[in-house]
Amino acid sequence: MDQIVIRGGQRLKGRIPISGAKNAALTLLPCALLTDEPLTLRNLPRLADVDGFGHLLNQLGCSTTIEGSRPEDFGRVMTARATTLTSTVAPYDIVRKMRASILVLGPLLARAGEATVSLPGGCAIGNRPIDLHLKALEAFGAEIELASGYVKAVAPGGRLKGGKFTFPVVSVGATENAVMAAVLAKGTCILENAAREPEIVDLCNCLVAMGASIDGIGTETLTIEGVDRLHGATYRVMADRIEAGSYACAAVITEGDVELVGAKANEMEATLSALRQAGATVEATKTGIRVAMSGRAQPVTLSTAPYPGFATDMQAQFMAMATLGSGASLFTETIFENRYMHVPELARMGCDIDVRGRSAVVRGVDHLVGAPVMATDLRASMSLIIAGLAAQGQTEVNRVYHLDRGYERLEEKLQAVGADIERISAG
Ligand code: UD1
């Protein structure tokens, strides 16, 4: 298996191009199932999960073609066309490897009137149920059965009829599934307490470009007037605010000065405010966001929350940054019950972190020491990279496939701003 080897201590300086957002790409791709016309997505990141989603679309009868596949290209263009669906089943083998596969449930149900999708099961960062996905679809008229580890959803008469659903807790995935199901309903669908993440705004804007009628985009109440059919469109995937925030943390911990090219300040205010809390200089530039730091990070107090709050996907990276801070930082994880798995690995590098239930106290230490480490999820892996960039000596990050799911050409981007980092291929 590949390894990433970092010799820490280099200041990051220069420009880092920010890729298309993984979490937006994975909800835009299933939109192709909603129409028989082509959906062309630009600025798609080159990531294992995006390729995996393309394969799932192929299994359902949707063809995919990719341009811009030269290794030196950032951002690819994929055209997906589901002229006719040949299957409405997302099998266990695919769903278990890629949780985002659950996002074909809404579009298949909307287009074909039925969908059978394997239950995704638990995952490394917690329980992650899908009950709210199903309840929202039921509120719109779906009949749902669970059998042999599969969800079977049917729209009586072939079409959802509309209705109203209020989410008891904010769910990104359930909002996405519900919106994609609603756009072809025969009636009006209302979602209250819907997630407002920028990736959901991206999804809604793409659906509108395909002919959907959605009111309240970017607010917690979405009103979707079903239409008889959607058409094709060309749509550009938004910049990855989590990737941008991750490199910002790397810049701070190395006392660097980087421009995150393509990042949009208005989509990541909570992250930028947390960086300022740590003492970083943060400013919008003509082409992105500049983040610069001198001296040790000041302690931060951060609690994860749905957007516009501080993202759970940024928690591990800020924690890595805080390990070298000038005092004690306090983290509270409110979204997932088991999202501190980077802590024992960071401890191997000499940090001082005390986890108590959903909270963690990070006491800044004077230095970290490189070590062989591995993580069990994507953002946790990135926290080890961040710590490794500032640690004395060599850090070997194992299980690189997690990073390949979410960070396009990580080592190249970091090398270009001065990091001493390389990928050692296993074979
Ligand atoms: C979540 C994050 C998202 C992040 C992603 C990957 C939030 C609100 N969501 O999205 O920012 O990019 O993980 O790390 O920060 N829940 C239920 N029943 C459901 C669905 C969810 O109880 O059917 C609960 C979850 O257990 C969790 C909360 O709702 O506590 C939010 O989950 P949800 O937003 O659905 O998770 P993801 O879509 O995976």
Side-chain angles (χ1 to χ4, degrees), residues 23 128-133 170-173 312-313 335-336 339:
N23 288 347
R128 302 184 88 175
I130 60 156
D131 56 317
L132 299 177
H133 299 234
V170 175
S171 163
V172 173
T312 176
D313 277 351
I335 307 291
F336 293 115
R339 208 171 188 183

Side-chain angles (χ1 to χ4, degrees), residues 22-23 99 102-103 123 125-135 167-176 195 197 199 241-242 304-307 310-314 333-337 339 358 377-379 405:
K22 171 181 89 88
N23 288 347
R99 253 196 85 81
I102 190 72
L103 294 176
C123 87
I125 60 175
N127 224 350
R128 302 184 88 175
I130 60 156
D131 56 317
L132 299 177
H133 299 234
L134 307 185
K135 284 183 182 146
F167 287 100
V169 293
V170 175
S171 163
V172 173
T175 301
E176 291 167 346
E197 268 66 4
E199 292 75 13
R241 64 194 171 101
I242 307 299
T304 61
Y307 190 86
F310 179 73
T312 176
D313 277 351
M314 285 307 310
E333 173 57 61
T334 72
I335 307 291
F336 293 115
E337 68 278 13
R339 208 171 188 183
R358 287 181 174 243
D377 76 70
L378 169 61
R379 308 302 170 188
R405 288 186 38 230

Side-chain angles (χ1 to χ4, degrees), residues 176-236:
E176 291 167 346
N177 243 334
V179 169
M180 290 187 283
V183 286
L184 290 176
K186 199 174 173 54
T188 307
C189 298
I190 300 172
L191 290 169
E192 287 188 336
N193 199 25
R196 290 183 276 162
E197 268 66 4
E199 292 75 13
I200 291 189
V201 172
D202 220 29
L203 166 67
C204 291
N205 287 340
C206 176
L207 290 168
V208 167
M210 295 170 71
S213 163
I214 308 176
D215 237 36
I217 296 175
T219 74
E220 59 182 36
T221 304
L222 294 170
T223 304
I224 302 138
E225 220 48 81
V227 294
D228 290 341
R229 61 181 301 274
L230 294 180
H231 50 73
T234 296
Y235 192 80
R236 184 183 163 84

Side-chain angles (χ1 to χ4, degrees), residues 130-154:
I130 60 156
D131 56 317
L132 299 177
H133 299 234
L134 307 185
K135 284 183 182 146
L137 299 179
E138 277 175 339
F140 298 161
E143 286 174 3
I144 291 179
E145 254 177 60
L146 297 182
S148 314
Y150 278 79
V151 176
K152 187 164 173 48
V154 175

